[in-house]
Amino acid sequence: MTRRLLDLLDTKEMVVVCGSGGTGKTTVAAALGVQAATRLGGRVLVLTVDPARRLADALGLAGALGNTPVRVDVPGAELWMAMLDTKAGWDELIRRHAPDPALRERVLANPLYRNITGRFVNSHDYIAMEQLHELHASGQYDLVIIDTPPSRNALDLLDAPGRMREFFGSALLKWLTVPYRSRLFNVATKPFNQIADRILGSRFLQDIAEFFVLFRTMEAGFVQRATEVERLLVDDRTTFVVVSTLDPAPAREARFLAEELRRRSMPLGAMVLNRTLPAEVRRPVAARAAVALRALDPGVVGEVAATAAVRPAAAAHVIDEVARRFGEVQSVATREAERRRELEVLAPLVAEAPLLAGDVHDLAGLRALGRRLTGGREAGGSR
Ligand SMILES: Nc1ncnc2c1ncn2[C@@H]1O[C@H](COP(=O)(O)OP(=O)(O)OP(=O)(O)O)[C@@H](O)[C@H]1O
Ligand SMILES: [Mg+2]
């Protein structure tokens, strides 16, 4: 497409790349990072979530420690990448909000802590947004691009900070903690506690209660932070990029996501249509060529067979099969075009990249994808 996607990256400080599972969020986030760093300059950070092993290796991320950014070797550019580590993200939050070192250690050492935080609804989503806040606030980067976790529901991501805030201010948390204290002195519930202790292990209920009691001491900090993280999502300096393929399910989800972003006043900057069929497939001349191939003169088929040194029947079979399959590809392309029209109206900017040959697993692949998305050439481009 045009330079416009690059202009969007140029005018924003935080980019949230979201969309349904497997559409190419991680790859697109990394490709946009490479484009921004090489063509716009400045310090660019991409926070990825669970990148494919080969890509992580190629970028030198494999040995990277959690949320600590590592510099990626891109000549003439300052590109940094980090991999989201939810567990480390939680530990950082506890360190930040614990009122004193002793309490901090007690939370971190609580056997239920890891188990429970990992199970909080949207735990990964929240930590991703929290890290975005953290990295942006550090002031070390001109642009932070964040890839988002594969969610079951696209809204989980948008709702994560609000849910975290609600949880800490909720009656549920109060209920989980206060009754325990009274339970300790309550004759009526003592036998229950004893039985539970016998069945679940002697410290189980105590661990749960202690965990939530400790958590409540951090309520104010967590609520304030979640509110800040929530504000970030409607900030002028933030933009959302929704990635989708033109398959029915992801396209439906992209549409839903775009509508929800609008409803929440979260700025949708661009829609990226990834792994699409090339436009040439839909051209009438291509259809005519396919029809002509199926009606080839046997003499011509014979010549092809002779050139390829195969039997004429084999050549005829392959030509017919390829031409027939091309018809199928064309009908998929036609359906893709309909979905493209439906999605185009939802975003101020649409960028598209075709299905590239092979996975995108190295810097050259990211450059090729990024160029398709932003148009033009970046310095040092080699593909
Ligand atoms: N335009 C493209 N052409 C070819 N392969 C692509 C393209 N875009 C992405 N891929 C490949 O598709 C696979 C899935 O991409 P990716 O991991 O970026 O998706 P994702 O949306 O981050 O998935 P998840 O929701 O699981 O996090 C990867 O193997 C990647 O190399
Ligand atoms: Mg991913």
Side-chain angles (χ1 to χ4, degrees):
M1 265 239 156
T2 63
R3 215 196 113 80
R4 288 166 59 211
L5 190 52
L6 215 51
D7 291 336
L8 180 72
L9 301 181
D10 203 10
T11 50
K12 299 294 171 182
E13 294 173 19
M14 288 161 281
V15 179
V16 182
V17 179
C18 52
S20 32
T23 49
K25 297 179 293 292
T26 302
T27 319
V28 166
L32 293 181
V34 174
Q35 290 295 313
T38 50
R39 293 173 69 186
L40 299 172
R43 282 167 70 96
V44 177
L45 176 83
V46 180
L47 181 64
T48 64
V49 180
D50 206 12
R53 184 66 199 268
R54 281 178 78 190
L55 183 63
D57 284 346
L59 298 172
L61 273 174
L65 283 175
N67 300 320
T68 312
V70 292
R71 176 115 187 233
V72 181
D73 186 18
V74 181
E78 274 219 68
L79 179 64
W80 297 74
M81 283 204 188
M83 267 194 283
L84 184 74
D85 181 337
T86 305
K87 184 170 96 43
W90 267 105
D91 290 356
E92 278 167 37
L93 278 179
I94 300 296
R95 290 201 182 90
R96 182 175 311 128
H97 297 307
D100 60 68
L103 212 134
R104 180 186 68 209
E105 293 314 313
R106 272 168 69 198
V107 175
L108 296 176
N110 186 294
L112 284 170
Y113 161 66
R114 302 205 181 293
N115 212 328
I116 290 184
T117 47
R119 277 160 207 263
F120 278 161
V121 192
N122 308 348
S123 183
H124 303 292
D125 288 320
Y126 181 69
I127 295 295
M129 294 299 115
E130 150 69 29
Q131 285 296 310
L132 174 65
H133 181 289
E134 181 68 14
L135 292 162
H136 177 255
S138 76
Q140 290 183 46
Y141 304 96
D142 299 291
L143 177 67
V144 180
I145 300 176
I146 184 168
D147 168 29
T148 53
S151 292
R152 267 161 300 165
N153 178 340
L155 300 187
D156 284 350
L157 177 77
L158 315 183
D159 290 337
R163 292 238 180 107
M164 186 60 67
R165 189 169 42 75
E166 277 165 20
F167 169 70
F168 274 93
S170 73
L172 171 68
L173 191 56
K174 295 185 177 80
W175 179 83
L176 280 167
T177 52
V178 178
Y180 175 77
R181 288 197 210 115
S182 49
R183 263 209 316 264
L184 281 179
F185 309 104
N186 187 336
V187 183
T189 55
K190 207 170 172 209
F192 167 75
N193 286 340
Q194 280 170 350
I195 291 168
D197 278 357
R198 231 176 288 147
I199 296 169
L200 303 167
S202 64
R203 284 192 52 90
F204 187 74
L205 284 181
Q206 205 180 322
D207 282 342
I208 293 184
E210 184 187 75
F211 173 73
F212 285 110
V213 168
L214 292 175
F215 241 52
R216 279 203 66 196
T217 64
M218 297 184 274
E219 176 179 331
F222 261 101
V223 169
Q224 193 199 335
R225 182 71 170 192
T227 306
E228 284 169 25
V229 172
E230 209 173 17
R231 267 194 221 121
L232 203 76
L233 303 185
V234 292
D235 196 299
D236 275 353
R237 294 166 297 178
T238 303
T239 190
F240 285 78
V241 171
V242 172
V243 181
S244 181
T245 64
L246 288 171
D247 293 329
R252 214 169 24 245
E253 186 142 357
R255 207 163 133 173
F256 178 57
L257 194 50
E259 282 158 5
E260 286 297 325
L261 284 168
R262 183 196 296 261
R263 212 166 63 74
R264 287 152 208 252
S265 309
M266 293 173 181
L268 171 61
M271 182 87 78
V272 165
L273 306 179
N274 191 25
R275 295 204 306 240
T276 61
L277 287 168
E280 294 76 45
V281 172
R282 281 184 294 123
R283 285 169 58 189
V285 64
R288 284 204 299 279
V291 170
L293 274 181
R294 295 194 71 186
L296 269 193
D297 184 86
V300 177
V301 174
E303 278 172 36
V304 172
T307 312
V310 296
R311 284 186 297 114
H317 175 69
V318 169
I319 292 171
D320 189 62
E321 191 70 12
V322 168
R324 206 162 51 77
R325 294 281 157 126
F326 186 77
E328 289 166 18
V329 173
Q330 271 200 315
S331 30
V332 174
T334 306
R335 286 199 293 277
E336 281 197 352
E338 284 163 20
R339 285 185 208 113
R340 181 184 292 107
R341 278 194 293 275
E342 286 167 12
L343 292 178
E344 261 168 5
V345 293
L346 298 173
L349 167 59
V350 176
E352 190 163 340
L355 177 68
L356 301 173
D359 271 359
V360 182
H361 54 72
D362 57 12
L363 195 56
L366 290 180
R367 282 196 152 123
L369 178 65
R371 274 201 304 274
R372 296 297 193 125
L373 293 172
T374 57
R377 297 188 64 79
E378 83 275 31
S382 59
R383 267 202 180 184

